[in-house]
């Protein structure tokens, strides 16, 4: 993982900044994150995580929800979600509220 | 007519550059607009643009870049943004920021504009205003940038780099931070349109270019998470060509002020290509079926050297317009490539141009022939 990525607490609340939008891409299939001059094609996991980012729920709550929805070990999900969100923050398509 | 089966059908475009107008208060000598500028009376009207946006969304376009010229020269810009938003298109306004009032900016933000890209010609008023050939432009741009961030809109600063402002790179990075930009684009001049006319006035010397590349790299690392820095590299001094447009007719299309649809903004320089117009054809039909879009799609058109090269689907043979401008033949490989027989010639040409001291030929409309009846 990138060493300069911020450490995200479970209590942190993240959101998409103005200028970044999540939407379905009907023409190609799947979901995308639209940002200034960039289009990120999301894999199904990223889509599940980002569709729960609403600027209100904290990371812990998002992870709880994912763990319940996919019946997967919470610790592993937490690690993956943290890494993914930190990476998106570095790319400036996500911010801590 | 050859028939493509469904699997061979090209993918739909992701992005569309909508060149709303060629009118612009600035006169940048590197402007990518064609030498022959379209006049106001020949521009598409509001309803036609709105139909084009609907067709773009339908076709699969995700992002629309509203550009020009200066898009704010169109009094219907707000309505055009609203129509993009209505169709779910991500809207990016590319502006020089000298003629957009706070009230109009707020109306655009209200309509749902997603992002503003502001051009900056230099890091100081002296350099900026001389390149733009517009006194007072720098101060207006600074004020505009403040209004953009104040309106809550994300801001990218875009600077086209050449011999006359390359030394200001560190100041440009500072300026971007100072103005609250989240992104900085450092775009080395691409020699088409007016920039090709002005190549001998713009081409920087090689050492200066290499220094600049290192500087951008260092700034990018230092500012990770704070400022995204994207660079368009100067290619005359390179060994490999850029993946121009990520391939002809692969991801994006351009609509000119008069409604012609191009695979890239300089494509009209290529002789013998017929560009279909949105006044006569649907956008989807143009994307999939127009001869201009199919002319250099994929790899079949490529010269043998490219056909057998492992980079053929990485750089797609480079830029067609550059091949034309430098070799006289658009179906040559981009002569920036070191495998091109023209490669050495291009490097020499850059070195010679960099040592010349040509005056700017500013971008402006040609004087019209007198309106007298004959
Ligand atoms: S490059 Fe300069 S002259 Fe050309 S459209 Fe942009 S601001 Fe206007
Ligand atoms: S030979 Fe063609 S495909 Fe290979 S690097 Fe050069 S331009 Fe690109």
């Amino acid at each position: 993982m990138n060493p300069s990525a911020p450490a995200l607490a479970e209590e942190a609340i993240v959101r998409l900044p103005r200028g970044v939008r999540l939407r379905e891409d009907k023409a190609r299939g799947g979901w995308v994150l639209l940002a200034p001059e960039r289009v990120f094609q999301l894999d199904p996991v990223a889509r599940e995580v980002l569709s729960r980012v609403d600027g209100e729920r904290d990371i812990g709550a998002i992870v709880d929800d994912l763990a319940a929805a996919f019946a997967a070990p919470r610790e592993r999900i937490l690690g993956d979600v943290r890494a993914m969100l930190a990476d998106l923050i570095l790319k400036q398509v996500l911010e801590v509220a | 007519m050859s028939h493509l089966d469904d699997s061979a059908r090209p993918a739909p475009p992701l992005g569309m550059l909508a060149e709303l107008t060629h009118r612009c208060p600035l006169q940048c000598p590197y402007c990518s607009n064609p030498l022959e500028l379209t006049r106001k009376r020949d521009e598409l009207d509001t309803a036609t643009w709105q139909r084009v946006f609907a067709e773009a969304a339908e076709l699969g376009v995700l992002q629309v870049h509203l550009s020009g010229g200066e898009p704010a020269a169109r009094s219907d810009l707000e309505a055009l943004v609203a129509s993009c938003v209505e169709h779910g298109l991500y809207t990016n306004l590319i502006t020089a920021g000298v003629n957009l009032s706070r009230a109009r900016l707020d109306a655009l933000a209200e309509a749902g504009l997603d992002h503003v890209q502001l051009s900056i010609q230099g890091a100081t008023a002296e350099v900026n205003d001389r390149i733009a050939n517009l006194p007072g432009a720098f101060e207006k741009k600074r004020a505009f940038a403040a209004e953009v961030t104040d309106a809550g809109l994300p801001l990218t600063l875009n600077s086209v780099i050449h011999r006359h402002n390359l030394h200001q790179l560190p100041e440009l990075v500072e300026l971007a931070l100072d103005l609250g930009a989240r992104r900085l684009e450092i775009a080395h001049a691409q020699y088409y349109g007016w920039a090709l006319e002005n190549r001998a006035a713009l081409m920087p010397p090689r050492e200066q270019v290499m220094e600049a590349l290192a500087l951008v790299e260092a700034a990018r690392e230092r500012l990770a998470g704070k400022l995204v820095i994207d660079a368009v590299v100067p290619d005359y001094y390179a060994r490999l060509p850029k993946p121009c447009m990520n391939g002809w007719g692969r991801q994006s299309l351009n609509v000119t002020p008069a409604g012609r649809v191009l695979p890239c903004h300089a494509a009209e320089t290529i002789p013998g290509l017929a560009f279909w117009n949105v006044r006569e054809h649907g956008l989807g039909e143009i994307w999939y079926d127009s001869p201009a879009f199919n002319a250099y799609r994929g790899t079949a058109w490529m010269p043998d050297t490219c056909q057998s090269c492992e980079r053929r689907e990485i750089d797609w043979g480079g830029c067609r317009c550059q091949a034309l401008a430098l070799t006289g033949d658009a179906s040559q490989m981009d002569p920036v490539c070191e495998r091109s027989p023209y490669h050495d010639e291009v490097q020499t040409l850059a070195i010679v141009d960099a040592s010349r001291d040509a005056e700017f030929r500013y971008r402006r409309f040609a004087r019209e022939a007198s309106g007298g009846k004959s």
Side-chain angles (χ1 to χ4, degrees):
Chain A
M1 208 178 101
N2 197 311
S4 48
L8 285 171
E10 275 201 48
E11 296 74 39
I13 296 173
V14 292
R15 65 177 174 218
L16 299 181
R18 175 100 198 234
V20 179
R21 285 204 273 133
L22 177 71
R23 60 162 275 192
E24 191 179 359
D25 180 3
K26 291 216 181 76
R28 277 151 293 255
W31 282 66
V32 287
L33 203 55
L34 301 177
E37 303 279 347
R38 289 175 297 170
V39 175
F40 297 87
Q41 267 142 349
L42 301 177
D43 59 32
V45 180
R47 194 227 143 167
E48 289 297 338
V49 176
L50 286 174
S51 63
R52 287 169 170 80
V53 165
D54 55 8
E56 284 171 21
R57 271 186 285 186
D58 66 18
I59 293 177
I62 291 174
V63 171
D64 288 339
D65 194 25
L66 287 165
F70 296 96
R74 189 178 189 283
E75 271 318 298
R76 233 196 60 212
I77 295 187
L78 178 64
D80 289 354
V81 167
R82 266 192 175 141
M84 183 189 136
L85 296 181
D87 181 53
L88 293 174
I89 289 175
L90 262 187
K91 293 190 174 120
Q92 301 212 26
V93 290
L94 193 73
E95 64 188 13
V96 177
Chain B
M1 202 181 100
S2 73
H3 203 82
L4 299 174
D5 64 59
D6 239 22
S7 58
R9 207 178 193 220
L14 286 163
M16 177 168 97
L17 184 74
E19 295 180 337
L20 300 179
T21 177
H22 278 158
R23 290 173 283 147
C24 183
L26 277 60
Q27 300 186 348
C28 310
Y30 55 73
C31 185
S32 61
N33 289 157
L35 296 178
E36 203 175 311
L37 297 166
T38 294
R39 290 174 193 280
K40 181 171 189 229
R41 59 168 181 263
D42 298 321
E43 290 176 5
L44 296 181
D45 62 14
T46 311
T48 308
W49 274 117
Q50 289 176 324
R51 171 174 59 79
V52 170
F53 295 139
E55 290 175 0
E58 176 70 32
L59 177 59
V61 167
L62 298 173
Q63 292 186 313
V64 171
H65 309 283
L66 299 158
S67 175
E70 170 53 59
R74 293 223 21 158
S75 56
D76 59 356
L77 183 60
E78 294 83 340
L80 297 181
V81 167
S83 139
C84 289
V85 173
E86 181 195 327
H87 298 294
L89 295 163
Y90 184 102
T91 48
N92 174 23
L93 178 68
I94 301 179
T95 177
V98 302
N99 62 349
L100 197 55
S101 69
R102 178 65 204 245
R104 286 194 79 193
L105 179 66
D106 286 342
L108 291 170
E110 181 75 14
L113 181 67
D114 287 295
H115 174 252
V116 176
Q117 178 179 311
L118 170 64
S119 70
I120 195 104
Q121 283 68 24
T124 54
E126 195 227 325
V127 172
N128 184 89
D129 297 356
R130 187 171 70 85
I131 293 168
N133 202 22
L134 183 68
F138 187 71
E139 280 318 313
K140 285 191 185 152
K141 283 166 185 280
R142 284 193 69 110
F144 177 74
E147 289 174 353
V148 170
T149 51
D150 188 55
L153 288 165
L155 173 71
T156 287
L157 214 58
N158 171 291
S159 195
V160 174
I161 297 297
H162 44 77
R163 192 195 306 161
H164 300 273
N165 61 8
L166 196 55
H167 62 287
Q168 291 196 318
L169 261 185
E171 290 101 314
L172 279 169
V173 173
E174 286 313 309
L175 183 66
L177 291 168
D178 191 35
L179 294 178
R182 292 216 308 246
R183 212 170 138 263
L184 171 65
E185 265 183 27
I186 298 288
H188 281 262
Q190 304 277 309
Y191 296 100
Y192 317 110
W194 292 85
L196 185 58
E197 264 317 277
N198 280 297
R199 198 176 57 198
L202 295 170
M203 183 68 73
R206 190 191 172 95
E207 320 76 73
Q208 218 189 342
V209 165
M210 298 305 151
E211 255 170 64
L213 288 176
L215 210 145
V216 167
E217 214 30 67
R220 182 185 278 150
E221 269 173 42
R222 180 166 56 88
L223 299 169
K226 227 174 149 188
L227 183 70
V228 173
I229 304 181
D230 285 331
V232 176
V233 297
D235 60 357
Y236 275 46
Y237 292 120
R239 288 172 39 235
L240 293 170
K242 59 178 182 283
C244 187
M245 305 307 287
N246 286 318
W248 182 275
R250 273 189 78 237
Q251 296 187 340
S252 37
L253 41 78
N254 251 46
V255 184
T256 71
R260 283 186 297 280
V261 188
L262 319 176
C264 81
H265 58 236
E268 281 180 298
T269 57
I270 301 177
L273 288 185
F275 299 101
W276 290 3
N277 194 305
V278 294
R279 296 185 213 255
E280 285 109 39
H281 298 273
L283 205 60
E285 191 193 353
I286 299 176
W287 176 258
Y288 292 113
D289 300 332
S290 73
F293 272 85
N294 285 321
Y296 302 109
R297 228 176 211 146
T299 55
W301 62 271
M302 287 180 175
D304 292 347
T305 318
C306 291
Q307 298 254 14
S308 56
C309 173
E310 75 285 356
R311 289 183 55 84
R312 67 185 175 274
E313 293 194 354
I314 298 172
D315 64 34
W316 303 95
C319 173
R320 298 306 84 230
C321 307
Q322 188 142 285
L324 174 81
L326 296 173
T327 76
D329 176 2
S331 60
Q332 273 280 337
M333 74 183 87
D334 189 327
V336 159
C337 178
E338 59 190 349
R339 299 193 187 177
S340 161
Y342 297 88
H343 176 77
D344 291 346
E345 216 174 284
V346 169
Q347 302 254 318
T348 311
L349 198 152
I351 292 165
V352 170
D353 271 355
S355 67
R356 281 161 60 183
D357 202 14
E359 295 277 312
F360 286 155
R361 181 181 165 209
Y362 285 113
R363 168 219 196 263
R364 31 176 94 115
F365 284 86
R367 209 172 291 135
E368 281 202 84
S370 76
K373 290 181 197 121
S374 55

